[in-house]
Amino acid sequence: DVHDSKVANELIELLPQGDFVIADKGYDSEAIRNKVRERNSSPVIPRKQNSKTGNGDIDWCLYKYRHLVENAFARLKHFRAIATRYDKLKLQFESMLALACAMIWLPM
């Protein structure tokens, strides 16, 4: 979709400079890959199942780290105060995030 590609390009422009840009299959397009390469980064984006080009060039280890980060955000959303942004003040919200991260980190 043209609108999604435009939003993705704007997002890529806002990213800090890095060696890699890791994204899921929803961002599988040559336009996005070329935009990442223009910024001297390597795209780590798996191709969709119906793609004629294979996934031989993807670093699956890095892609698995993206999945871990995504799972961490999903676990944080289990805390209702974080998911609904119950605390409106920045300090209180950050404190709740720290508390939730500590609870996730502790072995229970």
Side-chain angles (χ1 to χ4, degrees):
D1 187 28
V2 175
H3 181 264
D4 293 339
S5 180
K6 181 180 177 187
V7 172
N9 283 335
E10 291 173 2
L11 179 63
I12 291 169
E13 286 295 325
L14 295 173
L15 289 174
Q17 185 62 37
D19 295 334
F20 301 96
V21 173
I22 306 171
D24 62 2
K25 290 181 182 182
Y27 296 95
D28 176 25
S29 77
E30 280 306 311
I32 293 174
R33 290 174 196 278
N34 290 335
K35 184 71 170 175
V36 170
R37 288 183 189 111
E38 285 174 11
R39 293 178 46 101
N40 297 323
S41 297
S42 298
V44 180
I45 306 169
R47 299 194 187 273
K48 293 181 183 172
Q49 190 172 5
N50 62 354
S51 175
K52 298 198 187 304
T53 308
N55 283 321
D57 61 340
I58 192 167
D59 186 346
W60 289 107
C61 185
L62 281 176
Y63 188 73
K64 287 178 185 178
Y65 286 136
R66 181 208 63 86
H67 184 69
L68 289 175
V69 171
E70 191 172 312
N71 287 346
F73 279 103
R75 289 183 71 185
L76 281 172
K77 288 180 182 179
H78 287 257
F79 293 86
R80 189 173 141 217
I82 294 172
T84 59
R85 188 67 196 258
Y86 185 77
D87 297 312
K88 300 300 179 196
L89 297 177
K90 181 182 175 185
L91 180 65
Q92 291 175 337
F93 183 72
E94 288 175 349
S95 299
M96 185 61 199
L97 270 176
L99 180 63
C101 287
M103 291 180 70
I104 290 171
W105 179 68
L106 288 173
M108 293 188 182

